[in-house]
Amino acid sequence: MSSLSFRHLLDSNQIQESDLEKLFTLADEYHLKPQLDCKQKIVATLFFEPSTRTRFSFESAMHRLGGRVLSLENGETSSVKKGESLADTGRIVSNYADIIVMRHPKIGSVNEFAEFAHVPVINAGDGSNQHPTQSLVDVYTIFREKKTLDGLRIGILGDLKHGRAVHSLMTLLTRYKNNHFTLISHPDLGLAKEDREAFEKHGCKLEETSNLEEGIKNLDVLYVTRTQFERFDAGNSKGFKDNYCVNKKLLSAAKNDLIVLHPLPRTGEIDSEIDDLPQAKYFAQANYAVFIRMALLSLMTNTR
Ligand code: NCD
């Protein structure tokens, strides 16, 4: 049994504070000195949706740990295309790998797959639902940069309705009662009512606005996301596009020590003119992803 509190990682709700401590400590260690802890291990990455960072950082993580990688970068080339069920795919791939990382457009699909897999499964994104390892990357970045996960003023900008990275991150950060959230979105892309209610249960404050200039004032962290056009029919509405842009002018109204994060890819919501400013941490965030995923792979395969 792994020293983490979960066997499969499907939802950020499963992640306990003790898991964060273990993962952060090991990620710090790997950052300083990579070790070949997964020499005998194989990860299979099954992606039924596009990915650059998530798949590559998992694969890079396994290579850095001395393990091997089986990669399905396009689900269309697997037997699922011939009609094989996710359950059978889970049973079969479990014979060939020690851990499986999977992304799929359907909500709940990775849970269904994990039920039939006999090795640990990591959800790398199921539709608009959850993306728990991205939230680990995000909180690790915030912790490295701010030295705390509590008592922060956090702005979440963009598509809060369909963004799985947003849902997973808020699952983790709303547990800390002293955090204050400013949710900034187009009125049609706000957080679903049931999500909002679930997050508010923990007692932290959530306020909503569609005014970015107002919303950015006093923030410690601004988490920017793109509009998830592939998840809904935006019709001809141009309103969703070019709706917000984080640029130098906007940052001049923010605190000097604000940090700007983005799970990436960005599609216009962050102007590249801020890339070299000290506030821009989204590329550092993509780099931290490797160390957090190394820690996950070795703890979930019991090699540490
Ligand atoms: C995110 C995703 O796939 O949900 N990207 C990522 O994993 N880094 C965010 C997005 O696609 O907008």
Side-chain angles (χ1 to χ4, degrees):
M1 186 63 191
S2 133
S3 66
L4 296 170
S5 65
F6 45 83
R7 169 167 158 77
H8 303 298
L9 178 54
L10 304 172
D11 187 310
S12 294
N13 278 300
Q14 295 171 273
I15 302 166
Q16 306 300 318
E17 220 166 320
S18 59
D19 299 318
L20 290 184
E21 271 168 40
K22 285 177 193 145
L23 288 162
F24 288 9
T25 305
L26 192 53
D28 285 347
E29 190 183 320
Y30 285 144
H31 201 162
L32 288 174
K33 193 171 182 293
Q35 288 168 49
L36 304 180
D37 287 335
C38 287
K39 246 189 349 223
Q40 303 302 329
K41 300 293 177 188
I42 298 175
V43 64
T45 56
L46 304 186
F47 279 66
F48 296 89
E49 261 194 3
S51 170
T52 301
R53 273 150 296 275
T54 306
R55 189 169 65 85
F56 273 179
S57 62
F58 263 116
E59 295 184 359
S60 170
M62 192 47 123
H63 283 298
R64 284 165 203 253
L65 290 165
R68 275 162 288 176
V69 175
L70 298 175
S71 185
L72 176 68
E73 64 179 278
N74 173 4
E76 293 293 289
T77 62
S78 77
S79 286
V80 171
K81 177 79 177 164
K82 298 183 195 165
E84 183 159 60
S85 65
L86 287 179
D88 279 1
T89 310
R91 287 186 181 100
I92 300 303
V93 180
S94 299
N95 295 306
Y96 311 139
D98 302 291
I99 184 162
I100 300 171
V101 180
M102 177 174 167
R103 168 173 287 185
H104 195 281
K106 198 175 123 224
I107 293 177
S109 51
V110 187
N111 295 48
E112 186 187 327
F113 177 93
E115 235 178 88
F116 298 92
H118 37 263
V119 297
V121 174
I122 296 176
N123 179 5
D126 62 324
S128 59
N129 185 35
Q130 281 274 322
H131 192 352
T133 69
Q134 181 65 47
S135 70
L136 286 172
V137 172
D138 301 338
V139 293
Y140 182 58
T141 307
I142 295 171
F143 190 74
R144 297 270 314 211
E145 299 295 333
K146 293 285 177 193
K147 313 286 174 243
T148 179
L149 295 178
D150 201 5
L152 296 169
R153 295 187 74 97
I154 302 155
I156 315 246
L157 169 68
D159 187 349
L160 317 184
K161 190 172 182 177
H162 308 99
R164 56 194 174 198
V166 169
H167 302 152
S168 283
L169 178 62
M170 290 196 69
T171 302
L172 291 185
L173 287 179
T174 51
R175 286 188 194 157
Y176 300 89
K177 273 199 209 50
N178 300 316
N179 284 336
H180 179 287
F181 291 84
T182 305
L183 307 177
I184 312 159
S185 69
H186 183 286
D188 292 344
L189 298 180
L191 209 55
K193 191 166 163 272
E194 59 274 20
D195 287 332
R196 190 186 164 128
E197 283 167 4
F199 295 140
E200 274 173 335
K201 273 204 187 105
H202 300 286
C204 62
K205 287 213 172 55
L206 264 66
E207 61 174 331
E208 286 177 286
T209 176
S210 51
N211 186 333
L212 178 56
E213 285 75 19
E214 275 303 309
I216 200 171
K217 288 179 189 159
N218 304 318
L219 294 181
D220 301 302
V221 178
L222 176 63
Y223 191 82
V224 187
T225 64
R226 73 181 171 94
T227 304
Q228 309 275 302
F229 283 105
E230 70 274 37
R231 308 211 186 279
F232 68 105
D233 179 11
N236 292 326
S237 168
K238 196 173 149 21
F240 296 119
K241 211 161 174 55
D242 310 326
N243 202 33
Y244 297 110
C245 185
V246 180
N247 53 25
K248 277 190 178 163
K249 183 167 173 280
L250 183 82
L251 289 187
S252 65
K255 280 170 63 177
N256 283 338
D257 63 351
L258 167 76
I259 58 169
V260 179
L261 305 184
H262 193 312
L264 302 174
R266 61 176 160 179
T267 54
E269 56 285 345
I270 294 184
D271 193 319
S272 57
E273 69 176 14
I274 74 158
D275 288 355
D276 295 326
L277 297 184
Q279 291 96 325
K281 296 294 179 198
Y282 30 91
F283 294 131
Q285 186 185 355
N287 178 249
Y288 289 142
V290 178
F291 307 108
I292 274 290
R293 290 182 168 129
M294 286 172 81
L296 261 178
L297 289 174
S298 59
L299 289 171
M300 288 180 75
T301 56
N302 298 319
T303 53
R304 281 293 287 249

